[in-house]
C-alpha cells in the first residue's frame, strides 16, 4: 500500500517499484488522500477552456489512467486538497482542507482502508513530506498514525479487525547524488544539465538523503512505465519538462533503483535491503 497526498504523487515517487511488484503478482494499492483539486495546470498544453472548471473530474480521469498503466489498484480517501500556500507571510489554509482535518479523523479513514486491504508493506513520505507541502507533511503524520493504530484492536472499533502491517517505509526520490550523476552525464554528452539550477540552489542545511536510505529496489525495467504513468497526469506534468530530460537508457545504466528508508518494522530484517518484502514470509 502506497499512501500519497495527491493524484500524480504516486507516479513521481516509487512508481517503478509498484509496477514491478504488481507485475510479479503482488496486490498493490495506491491510497490517494486528496483529490488534488487545487493543483495548478503545469502543462501549458492543458491550460485550455473547460479544464480548470472541472479540475476535480480531470484529476480523477488522470489518476485512473495512471493506475492502469502501472497495473495497480487505487482508492480515494476523499479529503480536499489544501493547496500550496505562497507569500510572506503565508496565507491561512483554506477552511475544510485536508491539512486542517483533525488527525484522528483522517487516521480513522486510513485505518479503515488498511484493515480492509491488509497490506504487508506501507510506503509514505518522511517527516518533511519529501517537500514542505502541508498535505505531504500531513500524509506522513496520518500514515504513521494509521500504521500504529491499525494493529490495535482498541483503536477505531467498527473499522474492521485489527491488522499489523509488517513494515513502513519512507520513499526518497529527490536525491542530490542521483541528480548530480545525471546532470554530469548530460553535460559530458554535450547537452544542457537539467538539474544544474536545482543543484546550485540546494539548501546547505539539507543533508544527503542517501545517508537515510536503507533499501534500494532494482526496478529499471519499469522506468518507462513510470514515465508513461506520470505523463497521464496531463494537467500536472509538462511532457517537455525536466522530469523527462534524462533518457531512460541513461537512468537504467547509472541509477537502476528506487530508494526507501525503513521507518518501522515488526519483522526481523538485515540492512541494507534490496526488497521491501525482505523478512516477510510468503
Amino acid at each position: 500500500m502506497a499512501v500519497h497526498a495527491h493524484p500524480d504523487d504516486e507516479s513521481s515517487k516509487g512508481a517503478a517499484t509498484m509496477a514491478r511488484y504488481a507485475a510479479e503478482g503482488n496486490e498493490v494499492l495506491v491510497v490517494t488522500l486528496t483529490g488534488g483539486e487545487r493543483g495548478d495546470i503545469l502543462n501549458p498544453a492543458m491550460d485550455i477552456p473547460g479544464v480548470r472548471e472541472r479540475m476535480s473530474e480531470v484529476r480523477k480521469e488522470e489518476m485512473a489512467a495512471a493506475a492502469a498503466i502501472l497495473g495497480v489498484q487505487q482508492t480515494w480517501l476523499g479529503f480536499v486538497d489544501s493547496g500550496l500556500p505562497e507569500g510572506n507571510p503565508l496565507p491561512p489554509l483554506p477552511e475544510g482542507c485536508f491539512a486542517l482535518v483533525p488527525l484522528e479523523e483522517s487516521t480513522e479513514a486510513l485505518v479503515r482502508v488498511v484493515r480492509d486491504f491488509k497490506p504487508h508493506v506501507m510506503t509514505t513520505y518522511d517527516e518533511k513530506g519529501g517537500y514542505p507541502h502541508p498535505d505531504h507533511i500531513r500524509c506522513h503524520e496520518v500514515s504513521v498514525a494509521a500504521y500504529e493504530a491499525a494493529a490495535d484492536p482498541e483503536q477505531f472499533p467498527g473499522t474492521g479487525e485489527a491488522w499489523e502491517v509488517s513494515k513502513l517505509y519512507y520513499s526518497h526520490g529527490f536525491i542530490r547524488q542521483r541528480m548530480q550523476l545525471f546532470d554530469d552525464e548530460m553535460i559530458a554528452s554535450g547537452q544542457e544539465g537539467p538539474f544544474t539550477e536545482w543543484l546550485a540552489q540546494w539548501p546547505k542545511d539539507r543533508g544527503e538523503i542517501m545517508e537515510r536510505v536503507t533499501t534500494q529496489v532494482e526496478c529499471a525495467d519499469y522506468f518507462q512505465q513510470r514515465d508513461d504513468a506520470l505523463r497521464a497526469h496531463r494537467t500536472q506534468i509538462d511532457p517537455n519538462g525536466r522530469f523527462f530530460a534524462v533518457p531512460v537508457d541513461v537512468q537504467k545504466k547509472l541509477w537502476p533503483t528506487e530508494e526507501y528508508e525503513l521507518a518501522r518494522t515488526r519483522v526481523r530484517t538485515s540492512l541494507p535491503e534490496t526488497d521491501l518484502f525482505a523478512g516477510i514470509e510468503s
Side-chain angles (χ1 to χ4, degrees):
M1 175 186 284
V3 186
H4 289 283
H6 312 105
D8 76 66
D9 288 327
E10 84 297 325
S11 295
S12 61
K13 303 168 185 66
T17 299
M18 290 194 297
R20 171 192 155 177
Y21 283 132
E24 291 175 350
N26 300 284
E27 289 188 76
V28 180
L29 175 66
V30 171
V31 182
T32 314
L33 303 185
T34 81
E37 304 89 345
R38 290 191 168 95
D40 291 331
I41 298 178
L42 302 177
N43 177 6
M46 289 299 294
D47 197 359
I48 55 179
V51 173
R52 198 177 297 275
E53 293 78 3
R54 55 184 297 270
M55 183 63 80
S56 181
E57 292 80 6
V58 169
R59 300 307 306 276
K60 286 183 171 64
E61 293 165 3
E62 293 173 342
M63 182 67 250
I69 290 168
L70 294 174
V72 303
Q73 303 172 54
Q74 188 268 340
T75 191
W76 303 91
L77 221 57
F79 295 104
V80 177
D81 187 354
S82 304
L84 181 59
E86 296 179 310
N88 189 11
L90 291 175
L93 292 172
E95 184 177 350
C97 72
F98 173 59
L100 296 181
V101 170
L103 182 59
E104 184 173 353
E105 180 180 335
S106 46
T107 299
E108 180 176 5
L110 184 54
V111 165
R112 187 182 301 274
V113 178
V114 170
R115 288 176 174 174
D116 178 65
F117 185 67
K118 297 178 173 57
H120 296 90
V121 172
M122 284 176 62
T123 64
T124 190
Y125 316 140
D126 67 12
E127 67 284 350
K128 295 182 179 179
Y131 80 108
H133 189 298
D135 286 343
H136 282 241
I137 294 170
R138 197 59 157 175
C139 178
H140 160 81
E141 295 167 348
V142 171
S143 299
V144 172
Y147 172 86
E148 300 293 348
D152 184 352
E154 295 186 4
Q155 293 202 54
F156 305 115
T159 61
E161 293 184 5
W163 175 258
E164 290 189 351
V165 181
S166 296
K167 301 168 86 175
L168 174 69
Y169 287 93
Y170 301 152
S171 61
H172 290 301
F174 291 100
I175 298 172
R176 192 185 197 287
Q177 182 180 335
R178 176 176 176 270
M179 293 167 66
Q180 187 71 65
L181 195 64
F182 290 164
D183 212 57
D184 292 345
E185 177 73 11
M186 297 298 285
I187 293 172
S189 66
Q191 301 178 65
E192 183 179 352
F195 306 122
T196 302
E197 183 179 345
W198 279 1
L199 291 165
Q201 297 174 355
W202 201 269
K204 288 184 169 52
D205 60 349
R206 183 175 179 180
E208 175 50 68
I209 205 70
M210 278 302 293
E211 296 174 358
R212 295 179 55 168
V213 167
T214 61
T215 311
Q216 293 184 275
V217 178
E218 187 157 337
C219 49
D221 289 345
Y222 301 90
F223 284 176
Q224 188 61 58
Q225 211 168 327
R226 171 205 65 193
D227 288 358
D228 290 344
L230 194 53
R231 288 188 186 95
H233 292 281
R234 298 183 300 157
T235 56
Q236 299 297 295
I237 302 298
D238 183 350
N240 300 310
R242 70 183 81 197
F243 268 112
F244 310 109
V246 182
V248 168
D249 288 345
V250 173
Q251 296 183 50
K252 286 182 176 182
K253 179 182 72 172
L254 296 181
W255 200 288
T257 59
E258 288 182 337
E259 280 63 45
Y260 299 87
E261 174 185 351
L262 181 59
R264 302 272 200 287
T265 183
R266 293 186 169 103
V267 297
R268 185 172 298 178
T269 185
S270 58
L271 303 180
E273 300 173 320
T274 58
D275 182 6
L276 299 185
F277 293 109
I280 300 174
E281 296 183 7
S282 61

